[in-house]
Amino acid sequence: GNSVTQMEGPVTLSEEAFLTINCTYTATGYPSLFWYVQYPGEGLQLLLKATKADDKGSNKGFEATYRKETTSFHLEKGSVQVSDSAVYFCALRADSGYSTLTFGKGTMLLVSP
Amino acid sequence: GAVVSQHPSWVICKSGTSVKIECRSLDFQATTMFWYRQFPKQSLMLMATSNEGSKATYEQGVEKDKFLINHASLTLSTLTVTSAHPEDSSFYICSARDSRGIWVFAEAFFGQGTRLTVV
């Protein structure tokens, strides 16, 4: 079956530090990959996505590259801000039309001034 | 972007009572909505897929009679936890996809979640 593994948190960083949150997946076929973010008190929001190998998703300074050879989709940001403090979920969707999302456990990011 | 409103945000109930959680798509129609459950430090686990006008499809291991799902309109799905017990305490999140456009590329939008505590 499909599964997503992401690093455990919390990840604690100072403002302007470099961020990496690791995500690896197991899936049959060619899944689409996503990063969702959940800010305190809010629902999950799509942060970025990639639908095929070597695609790079990017948004709000965050990037992730779909690496089929390593089955990874690591999230990176060059300089984090306090406002980036949230829980980040890596997810996959097997591209069979009506399939649902499989999530990782989520990684809490705490950024201090 | 599209908004999914989930209500209530948190609820405390006594053991043996029932709790209803609503999920509304505010500015789009959602033929299909999904209900997830999250245990502490665990992944979001899909509980069921809710289709407007038909019976929900439950994932293996999810009790249909305990978690009643109704999707009466294109903008509203409800999850009722019947005869709740402390082990049902969890974080429940709904999501919905816009019915328009190409399904496979449709983005899922999420409610803010409901924290249920059964005492």
Side-chain angles (χ1 to χ4, degrees):
Chain A
N2 300 329
S3 68
V4 175
T5 302
Q6 58 183 109
M7 60 191 292
E8 288 196 26
V11 173
T12 305
L13 295 173
S14 298
E15 205 164 24
E16 298 183 3
F18 185 87
L19 168 71
T20 300
I21 300 179
N22 291 336
C23 172
T24 57
Y25 67 90
T26 302
T28 55
Y30 302 92
S32 296
L33 302 175
F34 305 82
W35 276 101
Y36 282 86
V37 58
Q38 186 176 29
Y39 297 103
E42 299 183 16
L44 278 75
Q45 302 172 29
L46 179 64
L47 180 60
L48 53 85
K49 66 181 179 183
T51 57
K52 61 182 188 296
D54 299 327
D55 267 3
K56 177 186 283 188
S58 62
N59 185 27
K60 299 181 180 180
F62 291 89
E63 293 183 339
T65 301
Y66 189 144
R67 301 287 188 198
K68 190 167 177 62
E69 64 276 15
T70 54
T71 61
S72 65
F73 193 54
H74 305 322
L75 182 67
E76 297 181 337
K77 185 174 185 181
S79 177
V80 294
Q81 305 299 312
V82 172
S83 57
D84 294 326
S85 298
V87 181
Y88 293 81
F89 291 88
C90 184
L92 71 82
R93 184 178 67 205
D95 272 341
S96 57
Y98 290 85
S99 64
T100 57
L101 293 162
T102 299
F103 287 90
K105 293 182 180 181
T107 302
M108 178 177 289
L109 170 65
L110 299 171
V111 181
S112 57
Chain B
V3 177
V4 173
S5 176
Q6 192 172 335
H7 177 80
S9 297
W10 59 271
V11 59
I12 300 173
C13 71
K14 291 185 177 181
S15 186
T17 61
S18 295
V19 174
K20 180 184 285 188
I21 302 170
E22 293 187 348
C23 180
R24 294 180 184 273
S25 56
L26 296 186
D27 51 2
F28 66 99
Q29 294 183 331
T31 306
T32 302
M33 292 186 177
F34 305 92
W35 288 95
Y36 294 85
R37 180 175 179 177
Q38 185 180 26
F39 294 96
K41 298 184 179 181
Q42 299 295 318
S43 298
L44 284 157
M45 303 299 296
L46 179 67
M47 297 175 65
T49 302
S50 167
N51 296 295
E52 187 267 336
S54 64
K55 290 184 178 180
T57 302
Y58 289 82
E59 296 299 301
Q60 193 173 12
V62 178
E63 298 177 60
K64 300 178 182 181
D65 295 332
K66 167 166 276 299
F67 299 100
L68 300 179
I69 292 173
N70 183 281
H71 194 153
S73 75
L74 288 172
T75 59
L76 174 64
S77 176
T78 61
L79 168 68
T80 301
V81 183
T82 63
S83 186
H85 288 91
E87 58 265 29
D88 299 323
S89 299
S90 192
F91 191 65
Y92 295 87
I93 300 179
C94 70
S95 80
R97 284 197 183 133
D98 195 325
S99 298
R100 301 164 297 177
I102 301 173
W103 175 269
V104 69
F105 297 111
E107 179 184 341
F109 300 98
F110 289 80
Q112 72 270 39
T114 298
R115 173 74 62 191
L116 170 63
T117 302
V118 184
V119 297

